[in-house]
Each structure stands twice: as C-alpha cells, then as structure tokens.
C-alpha cells in the first residue's frame, strides 16, 4: 500500500487553485509511492465552481489521487491533514501594494489558524495569500495555541526565488539549473531583498560570474521586487501558474532533504539569526532535513548594502505586525 498524504488547499476554486490542483493530484509532487488525498476549502458561494474543479480532477483519472473532501468549514477541511496550502484570500489589483490587503485578508487567518490548531497537530503550513508573511504570522499565533510548533508556519517567497534565479541565469547566459543558493530576505513585497551576493552560478559566486555590480544592486533587485506588479499590469490578474508552481516547489523542498551546501528561500519564524526580530515570519535561507524540520542557514556574510536592505524589509514587517496586533 502506498503512503497517503492529505493536503488541504484553501481558495481551491480560485486561479492559483486551478493551476495547482492537477499537479498535486497527478502525484508528481510527492512521488510515485504516495497517494494524495485532497481537502478543498472555499467560501460558500464558490462551492458550485469548486464542484466543477473536482469533476475535472476526477476526469483526469489520476491513479494516485485518493478521496477529495469539499467544504466551506475550515475545521473539516483541516482534519488530519499533513499539509495546509493557505491560498484563499483576495488578490491585489493594479496600483495596490500587497500590504493594502491586510485588513481584509488578515482576519481569514485567525479562523484558519484556530481551525488548524484543533484539527491538525502534525502539519506543515504554507501561506500563499497576501500579504503572505503577516497572514502566516497571524495563523501561527493561533496555531501554536493548539500545539503546532511555530517552525511549521511558512510564507511563500519561493516565487521570488524562482524569479531571481531566472533573471540571473538570463544575465549570465546560462541555464537556470546552474543558479543555486538564492535567498530572498524578508517580506514578499516591494521591500524584499533578493541576495545576489550569496547566490552561486555553477558553484561560483554570482557576483564574480556576472560582475556587473551596478545591475545586481539596482535593476535586478527592482525587477524582482516589482515582478508581481508587472504581471498584474500585463495580465490584468495576478500571477497564478508561476505562483502554483512555486508553492509546489516549496512543498517538494520541505519534503526532501536539502543537498549538502545548498539552501532554498522560505519565510519562516525567526530564531534570532542575523539579529532579526524573532517574532516575524521572515524570508531566510533555509534547509530541510526531509523529515519535516526546516532550519535557518546560519553564518552567511552580509555586506553593509545587504544589512541596510534587510533592515528595511524587517521594519516593514514590524509595521504590518503592528496593524494586525489586535488579531493575535
Ligand atoms: P482568486 O481570487 O482567483 O482566488 C482566491 C480564492 O480564495 C477565491 O476562489 C475565493 O472564493 C477564495 N477565498 C476567499 N476567502 C476565503 C476563505 N476565507 N476561505 C477559503 N477560500 C477563500 O485569487 P488567486 O489569484 O488564486 O490568489 C490568491 C491569493 O494568493 C491572493 O491573495 C494573491 O495575492 C496571493 N498570491 C501570492 C503569491 C505569493 O508569491 N505569495 C503569488 C501569487 C498570488
Ligand atoms: C506575486 O508576487 O505575483 C503575487 O504576490 C501577486 C501580487 O500581488 O503581486
């Protein structure tokens, strides 16, 4: 009998849900020996549309797809899950910053954090819904009350990591697979700091390979910080295929042991590393032991330029936290 992993996806009838679910259900994320059962959460008015998504999943005849639970009740959705992918929330429109969503989306993560704490003690949680870091902090504040370790609450900076790797590879004229050790520090927002100084290309410092410090410290950083807004400007809708892909990359990276000398980007609860405020969900370089434990990579060298940018994104997250303090 294959092992079964149960994954909850919130906002499952939305555009990220539509891009994410077939890949999850196909078995490509957890591998050929793992059956995937799904718990799909939506708001009540979206349940009919979600039924259509479920029909399509059934019509794919995926051999590894287990049962599919559909509900508008968070506790029911999270009962016995191994993974919670918290996508459901409003996306920003043109001209907005992600932080502008905080008052509307923040309260969603109070209820879901409480529901997680009752229903799913042994769970990994990835918050995708924006503003992802602070929403994850809200969910964590409630989830820990039920005994879920704070280390299990993550927010997604993997899309930023992937964007940064793609841009560095293009600039260096090499394959994206040659780019490793890419860190996104801080907030999934326009203050994030994509760290080219510690990234590598074919194992060499990215700064040696690209050599164009002005570009790495200027255009490159702005491009990654503004990429979400650029997609919205072009599509009229926020990223969905690349966001779903990044969420699944995150799941796979947590589910497997990180190769020696490598790391990936995720926003996780602080542990005092780099002198950063511990009470934030902050983007760091992280490694997984493949057994559910993710830890922050210590000891990276940070230039004054890097420290100033990390301080700016930390300040923004502290300000977001102050806005939602009443939700903890
Ligand atoms: P969408 O509007 O297409 O779908 C969102 C879905 O969430 C809708 O179906 C809606 O009914 C549902 N929903 C709303 N409130 C809910 C609740 N309380 N419980 C369950 N479901 C609920 O939006 P989308 O494009 O799928 O984006 C979803 C979120 O992901 C947005 O906040 C967006 O900004 C964010 N996002 C984050 C990243 C990232 O890198 N972290 C990338 C892309 C998008
Ligand atoms: C992204 O980075 O594409 C998402 O966070 C959506 C957005 O609002 O930019």
């Amino acid at each position: 009998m294959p092992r079964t992993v149960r994954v909850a996806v919130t906002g499952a009838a939305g555009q990220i849900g539509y891009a994410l679910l077939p890949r999850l259900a196909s078995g490509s994320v957890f591998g050929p020996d793992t059956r995937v059962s799904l718990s799909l959460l939506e708001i009540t008015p979206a349940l009919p549309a979600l039924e259509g998504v479920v029909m399509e999943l059934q019509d794919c005849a995926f051999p590894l797809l287990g049962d599919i639970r559909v509900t508008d009740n968070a506790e029911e959705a999270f009962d016995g899950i191994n993974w919670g992918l918290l996508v459901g929330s409003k996306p920003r429109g043109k001209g907005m910053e992600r932080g502008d969503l905080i008052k509307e989306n923040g309260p969603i993560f109070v209820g879901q954090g409480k529901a997680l704490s009752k229903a799913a003690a042994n769970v990994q949680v990835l918050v995708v819904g924006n503003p992802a870091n602070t929403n994850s902090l809200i969910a964590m504040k409630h989830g820990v009350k039920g005994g879920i370790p704070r280390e299990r609450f993550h927010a997604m900076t993997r899309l930023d990591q992937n964007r940064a790797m793609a841009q560095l590879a293009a600039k260096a004229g090499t394959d994206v697979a040659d780019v490793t050790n890419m860190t996104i520090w801080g907030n999934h927002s326009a203050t994030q700091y994509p760290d080219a100084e510690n990234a590598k290309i074919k194992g060499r410092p990215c700064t040696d390979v690209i050599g164009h410090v002005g570009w790495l410290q200027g255009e490159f950083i702005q491009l990654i910080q503004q990429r979400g807004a650029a997609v919205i400007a072009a599509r009229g809708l926020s990223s969905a295929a690349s966001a779903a892909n990044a969420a699944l990359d995150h799941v796979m990276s947590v589910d497997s042991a990180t190769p020696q000398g490598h790391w990936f980007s995720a926003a996780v609860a602080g542990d005092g590393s780099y002198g950063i405020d511990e009470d934030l969900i902050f983007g760091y370089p992280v490694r997984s032991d493949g057994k559910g434990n993710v830890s922050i990579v210590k000891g990276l060298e940070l230039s004054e330029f890097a420290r100033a940018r990390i301080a700016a994104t930390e300040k923004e997250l502290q300000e977001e936290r102050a806005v939602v303090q009443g939700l903890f």
Side-chain angles (χ1 to χ4, degrees):
M1 277 291 281
R3 71 167 178 155
T4 297
V5 169
R6 179 170 283 283
V7 185
V9 179
T10 74
Q15 47 152 8
I16 295 176
Y18 194 71
L20 184 148
L21 287 168
R23 287 181 58 192
L24 201 49
S26 74
S28 65
V29 174
F30 293 101
D33 300 325
T34 304
R35 188 188 297 278
V36 181
S37 289
L38 297 172
S39 290
L40 307 182
L41 180 70
E42 259 297 351
I43 53 173
T44 315
L47 287 177
L50 184 52
E51 285 301 345
V53 177
V54 171
M55 284 184 224
E56 287 207 58
L57 290 174
Q58 289 164 341
D59 296 349
C60 290
F62 290 124
L64 287 168
L65 178 58
D67 69 289
I68 306 178
R69 194 187 293 161
V70 173
T71 179
D72 57 4
N73 178 298
E75 277 182 41
E76 197 184 319
F78 297 151
D79 189 22
I81 59 171
N82 304 97
W83 270 95
L85 306 181
L86 308 191
V87 180
S89 53
K90 202 176 159 179
R92 66 173 164 160
K94 267 188 196 167
M96 291 172 76
E97 288 299 329
R98 299 176 185 91
D100 297 338
L101 296 164
I102 202 164
K103 291 217 169 101
E104 213 167 330
N105 285 343
I108 295 173
F109 295 86
V110 175
Q112 293 186 0
K114 285 182 182 166
L116 280 166
S117 75
K118 286 189 197 158
N122 190 21
V123 67
Q124 300 282 358
V125 180
L126 175 66
V127 175
V128 175
N130 279 320
N133 298 54
T134 299
N135 288 338
S136 184
L137 183 72
I138 296 168
M140 182 186 84
K141 293 280 179 189
H142 293 282
V144 293
K145 292 177 194 163
I148 305 176
R150 64 199 287 280
E151 293 77 18
R152 295 294 182 86
F153 289 85
H154 302 166
M156 189 163 97
T157 51
R158 186 54 171 265
L159 178 52
D160 309 291
Q161 174 192 322
N162 288 347
R163 287 169 171 165
M165 287 166 60
Q167 293 301 325
L168 292 176
K171 187 74 175 174
T174 192
D175 293 339
V176 80
D178 295 333
V179 183
T180 60
N181 303 71
M182 185 68 229
T183 309
I184 304 294
W185 295 89
N187 202 0
H188 171 62
S189 77
T191 67
Q192 66 178 274
Y193 171 53
D195 179 359
E197 291 175 10
N198 282 296
K200 293 180 184 160
I201 297 179
K202 292 189 181 169
R204 291 176 56 210
C206 165
T207 39
D208 289 357
V209 176
I210 291 183
H212 189 336
V213 177
W215 182 82
L216 287 173
Q217 293 194 341
E219 204 182 317
F220 164 68
I221 293 177
Q222 281 151 25
L223 208 154
I224 306 310
Q225 290 176 333
Q226 295 298 331
R227 187 66 160 189
V231 171
I232 292 171
R235 238 169 66 83
L237 286 169
S238 64
S239 63
S242 57
N245 176 67
L248 299 178
D249 279 350
H250 177 98
V251 171
M252 288 187 280
S253 289
V254 170
D255 201 46
S256 56
T258 311
Q260 197 63 33
H262 286 241
W263 61 74
F264 59 98
S265 289
V268 301
D271 63 1
S273 298
Y274 304 99
I276 293 164
D277 188 336
E278 289 181 39
D279 191 27
L280 296 172
I281 299 287
F282 196 91
Y284 290 100
V286 299
R287 292 176 50 80
S288 173
D289 67 359
K291 297 174 190 152
N293 305 304
V294 170
S295 55
I296 296 169
V297 175
K298 314 284 193 288
L300 295 197
E301 271 189 41
L302 296 172
S303 65
E304 261 183 49
F305 176 85
R307 285 194 183 277
R309 267 135 205 89
I310 290 170
T313 195
E314 179 183 25
K315 182 166 172 282
E316 183 186 49
L317 279 170
Q318 288 167 331
E319 287 163 1
E320 287 187 13
R321 182 181 62 196
V323 174
V324 298
Q325 205 78 43
L327 299 179
F328 295 164

